[in-house]
Amino acid sequence: MPIRRESRYHYPIDWPLISQQVRFGRAQGRCEGCGRPHGREVRCLPDGRWYDTDGGTWRNHHGQPAAWPDIVEACSVKRSRVILAACHLNHDPTDNRPENLKAFCQRCHLTHDREYHRRQYWITIMLRRAVGDLFLGAYRRW
């Protein structure tokens, strides 16, 4: 996952090496949340199940074996390319201890960051309202 320009100074200069060690050294190219393999295209269902071609079985969002989809569910299969990213568990990019980093696929990373993104969204909305109140006056009800 690319680092935003304004956040780059939070990361150490050797971040690409740290990230690579976490994703491919420790996790061996698989998501530590669900087990999806890096760089492969996997078949996914909307409920989080995905087909593991190595094991020849469907797995749930935790990487455990799951039930095969019925014919109706099989119609909603989508293909997705898995890209691993090193995720900070405490959302602090300056804390690069190995126990604070995990290799997550896009789905697991977004699930892990869901509450953080909700808080950031709320802050953004409140800041926009404050700027609107400052320059445009109080909001009126329509």
Side-chain angles (χ1 to χ4, degrees), residues 34-37 40-53 57-61 67 69 72-83 105-108:
C34 65
R36 294 179 190 196
R40 290 207 199 143
E41 193 172 90
V42 295
R43 290 179 278 178
C44 305
L45 292 171
D47 65 357
R49 284 182 287 172
W50 59 281
Y51 186 70
D52 182 10
T53 55
T57 185
W58 284 87
R59 300 200 175 272
N60 64 10
H61 58 279
V72 175
E73 291 174 328
C75 293
S76 62
V77 169
K78 295 195 187 244
R79 293 181 181 271
S80 169
R81 181 161 306 276
V82 179
I83 304 295
C105 65
Q106 305 99 312
R107 186 176 198 281
C108 293

Side-chain angles (χ1 to χ4, degrees), residues 114-140:
R114 181 176 292 141
E115 199 55 43
Y116 175 76
H117 288 297
R118 281 189 184 144
R119 283 194 304 270
Q120 291 299 91
Y121 173 76
W122 185 83
I123 289 169
T124 301
I125 295 301
M126 291 297 116
L127 286 174
R128 286 183 186 163
R129 271 196 166 171
V131 169
D133 289 345
L134 184 62
F135 293 107
L136 303 174
Y139 288 98
R140 295 185 303 239

